[in-house]
């Protein structure tokens, strides 16, 4: 689950110090215009997203609706095959082709219009995939 | 992650048929004014929430901002102890005392004001807890 925050440090105080979640990873992802921080929740993550500037997707999200839940991401084994399947199922894609995400992953977003108002992402971790 | 939907059936078409998630549980939770449906995502869940009426928390959420991400829930072992700790840490609670949630769980919500704009829930599954 991606959570949009204005800045990482105060969010860390909330999630790490009060909620006592463990920080798994921190990275500036230029391609997405964010500084991202992964916190472990079981085998899944909460991902804090702070914008690198106002004219970024998360910057515009914050300007429009303030901090809060931003998107949900599902891990897939083969992002190209999954994108193909979603397209065939009539899903509207923001990314027809995968882009680079956190930790060397490949990511693609679906449009909230076709996913019940939820910005939905698929993620293929680095090292996975069928070698397309 | 809780997702507010207008009705369960069309949401099922999206999450079960297109995203191929497995339905773990379905229940009308009168205390929360919702019909809820749990879908497995690894060891965690996406929870679809359809309101039982307009004058319910999810009904008002939908009227205000339409379908989409609603809340995030963390599993805890001892909800009373966790509430105590959160209160001491200065968190603003919607529920000072646990209420009944899905599958016989105990649940309590924190106010988004003190959790970075995110409606945040803690859940003690049925059968857990320290016997307070």
């Amino acid at each position: 689950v991606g959570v949009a925050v204005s800045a990482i440090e105060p969010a860390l105080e909330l999630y790490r110090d009060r909620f006592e979640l463990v920080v798994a990873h921190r990275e500036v992802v230029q391609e997405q215009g964010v500084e991202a921080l992964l916190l472990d929740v079981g085998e899944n993550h909460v991902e804090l997203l702070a914008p690198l500037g106002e004219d970024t997707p998360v910057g515009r999200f914050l300007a429009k609706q303030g901090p809060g839940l931003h998107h949900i991401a599902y891990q897939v084994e083969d992002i190209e095959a999954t994108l193909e399947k979603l397209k065939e199922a009539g899903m509207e894609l923001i990314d027809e082709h995968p882009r680079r995400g956190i930790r060397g992953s490949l990511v693609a977003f679906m449009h909230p219009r076709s996913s019940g108002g939820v910005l939905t992402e698929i993620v293929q971790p680095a090292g996975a995939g069928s070698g397309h």
Side-chain angles (χ1 to χ4, degrees), chain A residues 7-50:
Chain A
I8 290 289
E9 292 308 330
L12 258 179
E13 226 173 271
L14 178 66
Y15 282 90
R16 182 193 56 198
D17 302 342
R18 297 195 196 181
F19 292 171
E20 299 179 358
L21 300 185
V22 172
V23 174
H25 183 71
R26 183 172 183 165
E27 181 180 341
V28 171
V29 188
Q30 292 287 352
E31 290 85 342
Q32 312 280 346
V34 292
E35 177 167 9
L37 194 136
L38 291 175
L39 298 142
D40 286 331
V41 183
E43 57 184 20
N44 297 358
H45 297 104
V46 167
E47 183 183 26
L48 304 178
L49 299 163

Side-chain angles (χ1 to χ4, degrees), chain A residues 103-115:
Chain A
R103 292 201 281 197
S105 60
L106 292 172
V107 305
F109 284 90
M110 282 168 259
H111 200 287
R113 265 198 298 270
S114 68
S115 48

Side-chain angles (χ1 to χ4, degrees), chain A residues 74-82 98-99 101-108 121-132:
Chain A
Y74 298 96
Q75 185 176 319
V76 299
E77 279 182 25
D78 183 337
I79 196 168
E80 294 276 10
T82 306
R99 291 184 297 148
I102 198 168
R103 292 201 281 197
S105 60
L106 292 172
V107 305
E121 181 187 18
I122 53 175
V123 181
Q124 175 185 310
S130 65
H132 284 301

